[in-house]
Amino acid sequence: MARSVKFENKEGILYITIDRQEALNALNVSVLEELYEVFTMAENSEEVKTVLLTGEGKAFVAGADIQQMYEMSPKEGRDMAKLGHKVMNLIENMEKPVIALINGFALGGGLELALACDFRIASTKAKVGQPEVGLGIIPGFGGTQRLAKLIGKGKAKRLIMTGEIIDGLKALELGIVEEVTEPDTLMEKGVALAETIMKKAPLAVGAAKTAINKSMDVDSKSGSDFEIESFSSVFSTEDKMEGMSAFLEKREAAFKNK
Ligand code: HXC
């Protein structure tokens, strides 16, 4: 069967595109499995430094596949939610940065996928929302948790409990995305962000991502302890010596990911 998740590595950036345009890139079980496979490869490949994730056509992802969910038993629905969580957790917890480029509809599970990424850049054509309550369900790929943590309980409840669909600028105002740009500059904005991060020490970038994620899950004392341990582990890297030497010698650092 033709694959719906396309990918290509160019100079350390893995470009992942969800291409199932006949269903506006909706996530069915097989697309979720493909995403899991491709992100596992991204996590383990030394050739991949950063990931850019987008959708082909007029959608980023218009949600989980409603046709498929319609026919599912409650047990199958639960398994679908679990599979989705497995994919989102993989993306959130991998050390490499993942940037979502929201080119169009990012609804339901599509917005949840973007929320699992580290950064979200939306085009002015983006339409985002959590319309699940209109289908008699709730977000099931982490949306009730990640959206509330990202923008606060009140704003998350308003979006999720009304099912309202908003545009990129409104998403920026709410803090769901960090940047909005014209459709034809979406990719270049993503590449610019990826390249900026790739100039930094990769182990430090990964440790910072993990420590910030930790802050969402543990009390502040445990989070601070975790930061001290992470700080001390990057303090012993070759790249720490390189970064500081480069500063003192007034030159650019050449990091080795060591
Ligand atoms: C399956 C979908 C789909 C989806 C669109 N399609 N979204 N198929 N699942 N989520 C299909 C349509 O059925 C249609 O197929 C084709 O894609 C084009 O869509 P249209 O509706 O004709 O396009 P348009 O009029 O432009 O409307 C775009 C849209 C609308 C506003 C995005 O498609 C829409 O409301 N989609 C559903 C969005 C949604 O409710 N998402 C949340 C799903 S629940 P045909 O064959 O007719 O051409 C969810 C839960 C996550 O995500 C957690 C699960 C555990």
Side-chain angles (χ1 to χ4, degrees):
M1 214 170 75
R3 293 179 67 92
S4 303
V5 178
K6 313 270 163 67
F7 57 93
E8 185 184 14
N9 190 358
K10 274 192 271 172
E11 292 165 10
I13 301 179
L14 187 73
Y15 297 81
I16 303 180
T17 307
I18 302 174
D19 185 1
R20 191 181 168 233
Q21 295 180 67
E22 69 281 8
L24 299 184
N25 305 331
L27 303 175
N28 58 19
V29 169
S30 91
V31 177
L32 287 168
E33 283 169 347
E34 281 183 46
L35 282 170
Y36 191 78
E37 204 181 292
V38 175
F39 273 99
T40 301
M41 178 277 286
E43 185 181 33
N44 295 324
S45 166
E46 284 186 14
E47 313 300 313
V48 176
K49 313 288 183 210
T50 303
V51 179
L52 289 186
L53 174 66
T54 195
E56 194 67 58
K58 67 176 185 177
F60 175 72
V61 165
D65 191 307
I66 299 170
Q67 184 69 50
Q68 195 173 52
M69 286 190 294
Y70 176 72
E71 287 159 13
M72 281 180 177
S73 67
K75 152 90 175 63
E76 288 167 329
R78 185 186 173 87
D79 289 347
M80 170 105 170
K82 277 189 172 171
L83 173 60
H85 274 264
K86 193 169 97 166
V87 174
M88 307 308 152
N89 290 339
L90 170 65
I91 294 171
E92 186 170 67
N93 294 325
M94 63 191 275
E95 292 212 336
K96 294 167 190 175
V98 183
I99 302 166
L101 299 179
I102 306 178
N103 51 303
F105 295 110
L107 302 176
L111 179 54
E112 293 175 289
L113 176 61
L115 291 172
C117 300
D118 299 304
F119 311 103
R120 285 151 293 282
I121 306 177
S123 107
T124 48
K125 288 211 174 129
K127 296 268 181 241
V128 313
Q130 298 282 173
E132 285 93 339
V133 291
L135 296 166
I137 57 171
I138 65 169
F141 292 160
T144 59
Q145 307 301 299
R146 289 196 182 89
L147 190 61
K149 284 174 178 163
L150 186 66
I151 66 174
K153 227 159 63 163
K155 289 177 191 159
K157 282 180 178 169
R158 181 154 175 155
L159 265 189
I160 292 174
M161 292 165 71
T162 63
E164 187 189 355
I165 293 175
I166 58 174
D167 64 17
L169 280 175
K170 180 74 183 170
L172 179 68
E173 191 189 304
L174 289 176
I176 296 174
V177 304
E178 295 83 39
E179 188 174 353
V180 178
T181 187
E182 293 302 321
D184 58 355
T185 48
L186 185 60
M187 187 52 78
E188 71 190 62
K189 295 281 183 187
V191 171
L193 178 57
E195 284 176 343
T196 301
I197 297 172
M198 288 194 306
K199 289 198 184 109
K200 310 297 179 192
L203 293 171
V205 167
K209 169 172 172 171
T210 305
I212 294 167
N213 282 348
K214 200 82 179 168
S215 75
M216 295 289 132
D217 296 332
V218 298
D219 63 90
S220 49
K221 165 80 174 73
S222 310
S224 297
D225 289 346
F226 186 86
E227 185 189 79
I228 293 166
E229 289 313 311
S230 299
F231 180 84
S232 87
S233 86
V234 288
F235 211 80
S236 63
T237 60
E238 285 181 31
D239 280 349
K240 172 260 179 183
M241 291 310 294
E242 169 60 13
M244 294 197 184
S245 311
F247 174 79
L248 295 171
E249 291 162 17
K250 303 189 188 303
R251 60 173 174 83
E252 274 214 19
F255 293 117
K256 292 197 194 123
N257 197 20
K258 284 186 187 157

